[in-house]
Amino acid sequence: MNGMKFLGLCLLALSGAAWAEGSPVELPTLSSEYIRDQASFRLAANHQTELVRQTGEPVVTAKPEFEPPMLTGSKVHQYLGIATIGAAAATFLTHFHPCEGPNCGAQPPRNTNGVHAKWGKATALLAAATVASGLITHWDDFHKEDGISDPDNLHVLLGVTGAAMMAYAINKSANSSTTPTSHSALAELGALSMIVAIKLTW
């Protein structure tokens, strides 16, 4: 029994010696880990600078696309112009009077408050609002020295003339329900003038 104990002590001593001769496990110190982390942080922070040095070109970050506001003075003027042409088209489509002018003979009184008349009045109001908004927002686009061929000058002249022609024709028709009144040709010519004005600067 004593021999077994002695043998066990010998084996224990040999294993301890063998472990002592092996390479020790190196554990990183707190200071070295801290230094390594600091170096990584500096590299990440200076990534763009290093990229500029290597490529010779600055790093360009993508900017979000500019989106203009939905409602501006210019947009209001544009929408009013389109609405005026739409109202003029509705006025034309609702015109059912069979005859106009002094040669038509006896005609029943015209309805000055019907659908056609209401669309006509709406057209006149929209045309006036279009001209007013254009003068407010684009007053500095009109230059006499540029001549009549300038698109901006032509836009103003045709737009104002067309609006005035439509307003005159509508007012002429609305003021008389019994007297034959020829007004459709003048109103249509005014609407055509406004369409050309819009097309010039669309």
Side-chain angles (χ1 to χ4, degrees):
M1 191 67 180
N2 290 332
M4 291 296 291
K5 288 181 180 180
F6 178 75
L7 181 61
L9 288 173
C10 288
L11 289 174
L12 184 61
L14 286 174
S15 64
W19 180 79
E21 289 178 2
S23 59
V25 178
E26 295 183 3
L27 297 175
T29 61
L30 180 61
S31 58
S32 64
E33 284 297 320
Y34 178 75
I35 293 170
R36 190 178 296 115
D37 289 344
Q38 288 294 318
S40 300
F41 179 74
R42 283 196 301 273
L43 285 174
N46 296 326
H47 176 68
Q48 289 189 350
T49 305
E50 291 299 325
L51 186 60
V52 171
R53 290 175 182 171
Q54 291 175 9
T55 61
E57 297 180 0
V59 177
V60 179
T61 56
K63 295 181 179 179
E65 293 184 4
F66 173 74
E67 294 184 5
M70 288 293 294
L71 198 62
T72 61
S74 182
K75 289 284 187 183
V76 169
H77 175 61
Q78 184 180 18
Y79 297 151
L80 284 172
I82 296 170
T84 301
I85 299 306
T91 305
F92 174 77
L93 292 174
T94 54
H95 179 253
F96 302 115
H97 203 271
C99 184
E100 290 182 346
N103 300 325
C104 292
Q107 294 289 324
R110 289 181 295 106
N111 186 357
T112 56
N113 290 313
V115 175
H116 174 70
K118 288 179 179 177
W119 273 116
K121 293 172 184 176
T123 302
L125 289 173
L126 286 169
T130 301
V131 171
S133 63
L135 292 175
I136 292 170
T137 56
H138 298 289
W139 62 271
D140 56 343
D141 290 342
F142 183 83
H143 302 286
K144 283 172 52 177
E145 57 272 15
D146 293 338
I148 196 172
S149 61
D150 180 70
D152 288 329
N153 292 351
L154 205 54
H155 171 81
V156 172
L157 293 174
L158 288 174
V160 172
T161 303
M165 291 170 70
M166 286 193 295
Y168 175 76
I170 293 164
N171 183 64
K172 182 181 177 183
S173 176
N175 284 337
S176 176
S177 62
T178 56
T179 305
T181 305
S182 179
H183 68 283
S184 59
L186 187 63
E188 290 165 11
L189 188 60
L192 182 62
S193 178
M194 287 199 77
I195 290 172
V196 175
I198 292 171
K199 186 65 177 175
L200 282 172
T201 56
W202 184 259

